[in-house]
Amino acid sequence: MSHERPDSAPPRGDVTAEPTRRLRVALISPKGPLYRHRGGIFGQSLRYMPLTLPTLAALVPDELDIELTCLDEGIQDVDTDLDVDLVGMTVITGTAPRAYALAATFRARGVAVVLGGPHVTLAPEDAAPHADAIVVGYAERSWPRLLRDVAAGRLAPRYDQAPDLDLSESPLPDRTVLPRWRYLTPHVFEATRGCIHTCDFCVVPSAWGRRPLQKPPEAIVEDLKRMRTRKAIFVDLNLIADRLYARRLFTALKPLGIQWYGLATTLLADDLPLLDLAAESGCRGLLMGLESISPVSLKASRKGFNRPEDYATVVERLHERRIALQGCFVFGLDQDEPDVFEKTARFAVEAGIDLPRFAIVTPFPGTPLYRRLEREGRLLHRNWEQYDGQHVVFRPARMSVEALQQGTEAAWKQAYSWSGIARRLRRTAAPWHVAALTNLGYRRYAHNLHRFYTCDWLFDAPSPWRLLHREPAGNPPAGEEKA
């Protein structure tokens, strides 16, 4: 894809609304091959409501006269003839080609385009030629400043995250900007951002550093009460990165009597008082990055705090507290040999992991893994759409590209064979009917990897817990309008 600026898209640093009408802004979440309105692997969207667009909507300065439209291509089509002054898009690596294509279309019509999100933060030099402005890092302060600049006719080419960003300043998300009835659940929350670890294939430390950012637990409770939530999904990448904060949060959740699902590291199972508190606060399911059953591979990936010899104990301790585990593994690490697929899938079944998940390690731009593979000349291409966790985009060290691709699919099929499902269902901590439905869903996914793939597994993973939050079909709730 060309990085040249189209001749028909001159700089629009002086973009501003016409004096007689308000500033018209459209926020778009571009589609990926799996999560899209038409043609994905599933008959209906399996997305929970994303928080990015509702958060950006809540950050619009009150003093500005802005007409805001929010569009998520995972659930709806985007009209490229939108009558707007400014388009903003949040971009992950897998959706970058789609975002760039949309940007070219809008800019050719004279509409200013702003790009932000994880991919833009990881690779600003890749995104900048496709936009009139880019937003690097979290946008709590830079997005309002950008909108004020647009209104004043002085859009800058780049806006960076404030170094002293404090999430206590962040307003509650405005979820009314998206049609909640089009998602499995709108009950999605975020208490923290960031992670203290430095796993070499993870985008988090590369994009946002290791300093955890936290919202006051009181604000989370307020949001849960406002939403009348009974079952919540926390999208935090590591809820226990700061254990003192985690204790405060779990303590604040206890009186609400909710059930919640989130992400944590295996270190939670080593801290039994914190694990007990998580269970008492309503935790019923966790996603953990187990990554590998090889200690050597884990150490090489800077994830040595994972101990494969303790994985069975992790499962047991979670199950004792009625917490189900979605355990994620990656293939293609330099120490992996062709027998890793069968060994890992067999282990996942024998350990009783409620929902095992397998991915091909992906060198996302900006990560230590990407830089190393680039330095070694092992990257196959930069077709970002295939940087998705299910395509091989580099030359593996101890097997062929084809062996890694086919072995990953074989692991999925082995873990989700009828016998594999039956063995794991006998030990599941989830309600049996929910466990059965989610396993059947993943079995279908396992047998369709040759036809479909997910662009955004890392940032918007298809969580089994969503089936617990299905909204009633039918008309939208009163008082809400379609975006």
Side-chain angles (χ1 to χ4, degrees):
M1 179 176 291
S2 171
H3 283 192
E4 294 298 317
R5 212 182 156 87
D7 293 337
S8 58
R12 279 174 289 279
D14 60 348
V15 62
T16 186
E18 297 180 10
T20 57
R21 65 181 179 183
R22 61 181 57 181
L23 184 66
R24 298 156 303 172
V25 178
L27 290 174
I28 300 173
S29 178
K31 66 185 176 183
L34 177 61
Y35 295 116
R36 53 184 174 180
H37 183 40
R38 305 176 194 279
I41 187 172
F42 300 106
Q44 64 172 315
S45 171
L46 284 183
R47 295 193 75 178
Y48 45 64
M49 182 181 287
L51 283 177
T52 300
L53 301 190
T55 299
L56 292 174
L59 290 166
V60 173
D62 292 335
E63 76 273 12
L64 297 183
D65 186 13
I66 289 181
E67 178 184 319
L68 182 66
T69 301
C70 292
L71 300 166
D72 178 0
E73 278 200 296
I75 61 164
Q76 60 200 136
D77 295 324
V78 167
D79 181 2
T80 54
D81 291 324
L82 283 169
D83 184 16
V84 292
D85 305 296
L86 177 71
V87 167
M89 285 185 273
T90 178
V91 187
I92 62 172
T93 298
T95 62
R98 172 61 177 170
Y100 296 164
L102 284 174
T105 300
F106 284 115
R107 297 175 81 202
R109 291 180 41 224
V111 177
V113 172
V114 176
L115 298 178
H119 183 72
V120 178
T121 299
L122 288 165
E125 72 289 345
D126 185 72
H130 301 279
D132 297 282
I134 60 173
V135 177
V136 177
Y138 298 129
E140 265 75 7
R141 293 187 189 172
S142 49
W143 176 240
R145 180 160 59 90
L146 182 150
L147 290 176
R148 292 187 178 101
D149 285 353
V150 170
R154 56 169 186 262
L155 180 64
R158 175 167 171 157
Y159 294 80
D160 287 280
Q161 175 183 324
D164 59 343
L165 179 64
D166 184 347
L167 290 189
S168 64
E169 306 167 358
S170 185
L172 298 181
D174 181 3
R175 297 178 181 84
T176 64
V177 298
L178 290 171
R180 62 185 293 172
W181 61 95
R182 300 291 297 276
Y183 297 96
L184 286 185
T185 179
H187 297 280
V188 180
F189 303 86
E190 176 192 58
T192 67
R193 294 180 197 164
C195 184
I196 60 174
H197 303 293
T198 58
C199 310
D200 79 333
F201 52 78
C202 182
V203 304
V204 178
S206 299
W208 300 292
R210 298 175 60 196
R211 180 173 70 93
L213 299 175
Q214 301 159 347
K215 297 179 181 179
E218 299 77 19
I220 305 304
V221 169
E222 178 186 352
D223 201 14
L224 289 161
K225 288 181 176 179
R226 181 184 65 160
M227 291 288 292
R228 299 180 180 178
T229 297
R230 305 311 306 161
K231 294 182 175 68
I233 294 175
F234 282 93
V235 295
D236 310 54
L237 293 172
N238 182 7
L239 260 177
I240 64 164
D242 180 336
R243 298 194 190 189
L244 289 177
Y245 175 86
R247 290 188 182 94
R248 288 176 53 212
L249 177 65
F250 299 162
T251 300
L253 295 179
K254 280 180 63 174
L256 302 182
I258 66 169
Q259 295 180 11
W260 63 267
Y261 308 82
L263 292 79
T265 66
T266 57
L267 295 174
L268 177 59
D270 293 335
D271 189 337
L272 294 184
L274 185 60
L275 180 58
D276 287 336
L277 185 57
E280 292 165 9
S281 70
C283 180
R284 291 296 174 265
L286 289 172
L287 183 152
M288 291 182 175
L290 305 180
E291 317 306 3
S292 176
I293 58 173
S294 164
V296 175
S297 292
L298 291 166
K299 184 176 181 180
S301 300
R302 303 182 193 171
K303 199 157 187 174
F305 59 85
N306 271 5
R307 300 185 301 273
E309 65 273 17
D310 293 339
Y311 285 170
T313 300
V314 171
V315 176
E316 180 182 350
R317 289 178 176 175
L318 293 176
H319 283 186
E320 287 173 350
R321 293 158 177 83
R322 296 191 300 145
I323 299 174
L325 172 65
Q326 183 177 35
C328 300
F329 297 90
V330 294
F331 296 129
L333 301 172
D334 279 357
Q335 295 74 26
D336 285 349
E337 300 200 18
D339 62 351
V340 69
F341 311 104
E342 191 275 335
K343 286 182 177 178
T344 304
R346 184 177 69 246
F347 174 85
V349 172
E350 292 175 350
I353 296 172
D354 299 82
L355 285 168
R357 187 185 179 102
F358 309 100
I360 296 168
V361 66
T362 300
F364 289 101
T367 61
L369 177 61
Y370 181 93
R371 291 192 295 270
R372 177 169 65 82
L373 294 180
E374 183 179 43
R375 189 168 59 248
E376 296 172 359
R378 293 169 59 191
L379 295 178
L380 298 177
H381 57 73
R382 291 175 177 80
N383 176 8
W384 299 134
E385 192 172 50
Q386 292 193 10
Y387 279 61
D388 60 2
Q390 295 299 338
H391 282 87
V392 183
V393 298
F394 67 97
R395 284 196 299 275
R398 305 191 183 192
M399 67 183 81
S400 67
V401 168
E402 293 74 18
L404 177 52
Q405 191 75 58
Q406 294 168 9
T408 302
E409 184 170 348
W412 275 100
K413 290 179 178 178
Q414 180 178 341
Y416 288 93
S417 64
W418 291 120
S419 62
I421 291 175
R423 290 181 66 185
R424 288 185 293 100
L425 284 181
R426 285 198 291 269
R427 299 172 59 184
T428 185
W432 195 89
H433 68 288
V434 173
L437 284 172
T438 51
N439 271 275
L440 290 176
Y442 269 92
R443 177 179 166 83
R444 184 183 176 200
Y445 179 76
H447 286 270
N448 283 276
L449 283 172
H450 61 290
R451 298 172 51 212
F452 299 99
Y453 59 94
T454 167
C455 244
D456 50 3
W457 73 275
L458 183 61
F459 294 98
D460 194 18
S463 168
W465 320 126
R466 297 177 199 175
L467 292 176
L468 293 173
H469 304 279
R470 184 181 299 277
E471 293 295 315
N475 296 326
E480 289 193 10
E481 297 178 355
K482 288 188 178 182

